[in-house]
Amino acid sequence: DEGRSWENVPSIEGVGLLHPSGGIIRWAAWGCHISFLDDQIGWVASKFTSLAATGDGSQSWSVLPLPESILSIAAIHLRTPDEGYLLDHAGNLHTTRDAGQSWTSQELIRAEGMEMLKIRVMGNTAAIRFADKNNGLVATSISGDGGSECVIMRTSDGGKTWQKETLPIKMALNYYINRDCTLVTTIDFYRAESIAVLKYT
């Protein structure tokens, strides 16, 4: 009903979404990610390399296997019941076509002397979204000796090739990409009261 009323769903405790200390994820600073197709099918992830799926509106969850080399999860996106994407903090994009049972990987964020931003604050520093099987965006903050910058990576061929665009912000948090990949919204890290909305055509 467009958010006018809400109901609690069963806890995700026990599905492996844990902090390295063993605690259940409760804090945004621990890097929680969520992506739902509808009211039944969705993913929830922890940046501490745990990914779980539900097909019954969060009544039950199953832990999905992840690519071997992942150390931390930066962003997730579930596009169809079978097809989804995972971005790690090393700048690698991982794609599944079989509901997370297997993955193919590619290096996405490649900039000399730069790496994806890892910051211990309440917020996430990347987002990924595919409008369809061909057109997608990745938004993230990267940093290095030369400072930091915010970038958009765009593909129109299903991830075979990508184009990089630099945003007019030095560092940002809590990226959001709308469903058809025409808007990117984020918060300027240096000016917390400033929300940037970037329109793509």
Side-chain angles (χ1 to χ4, degrees):
D1 58 7
E2 299 178 338
R4 287 188 290 272
S5 62
W6 295 83
E7 63 180 271
N8 289 329
V9 297
S11 170
I12 62 173
E13 183 176 358
V15 299
L17 296 177
L18 300 178
H19 186 272
S21 68
I24 301 167
I25 290 177
R26 292 187 176 91
W27 308 105
W30 288 0
C32 300
H33 309 284
I34 185 167
S35 181
F36 267 70
L37 289 177
D38 51 34
D39 62 350
Q40 297 295 307
I41 301 172
W43 283 358
V44 172
S46 156
K47 78 175 182 181
F48 300 106
T49 58
S50 297
L51 176 65
T54 183
D56 56 13
S58 305
Q59 299 303 305
S60 63
W61 293 87
S62 58
V63 178
L64 300 179
L66 292 174
E68 293 181 2
S69 60
I70 284 186
L71 297 178
S72 59
I73 297 172
I76 61 173
H77 172 52
L78 183 60
R79 193 183 73 80
T80 72
D82 295 322
E83 186 174 318
Y85 307 87
L86 185 156
L87 181 70
D88 67 28
H89 278 106
N92 300 307
L93 177 65
H94 310 274
T95 303
T96 182
R97 310 288 184 189
D98 56 9
Q101 297 309 301
S102 64
W103 300 85
T104 58
S105 304
Q106 66 182 118
E107 189 178 47
L108 181 61
I109 307 299
R110 287 179 290 184
E112 186 174 350
M114 304 292 280
E115 64 179 10
M116 282 184 60
L117 185 66
K118 301 174 189 176
I119 189 166
R120 294 182 177 274
V121 296
M122 295 183 71
N124 294 315
T125 56
I128 183 170
R129 174 87 75 173
F130 272 72
D132 53 47
K133 66 179 181 179
N134 291 317
N135 296 284
L137 294 178
V138 170
T140 189
S141 298
I142 58 178
S143 63
D145 294 338
S148 60
E149 63 181 4
C150 301
V151 298
I152 296 289
M153 303 293 292
R154 178 196 295 272
T155 183
S156 58
D157 56 14
K160 295 183 180 68
T161 60
W162 294 83
Q163 294 78 46
K164 175 186 168 185
E165 304 169 25
T166 302
L167 304 183
I169 306 172
K170 290 297 183 183
M171 190 185 299
L173 298 172
N174 296 322
Y175 289 97
Y176 176 78
I177 304 170
N178 70 340
R179 288 184 181 271
D180 60 3
C181 295
T182 58
L183 291 174
V184 178
T185 306
T186 189
I187 297 175
D188 189 328
F189 177 77
Y190 293 110
R191 299 173 60 210
E193 76 283 0
S194 176
I195 298 176
V197 179
L198 308 155
K199 183 175 288 188
Y200 285 81
T201 56

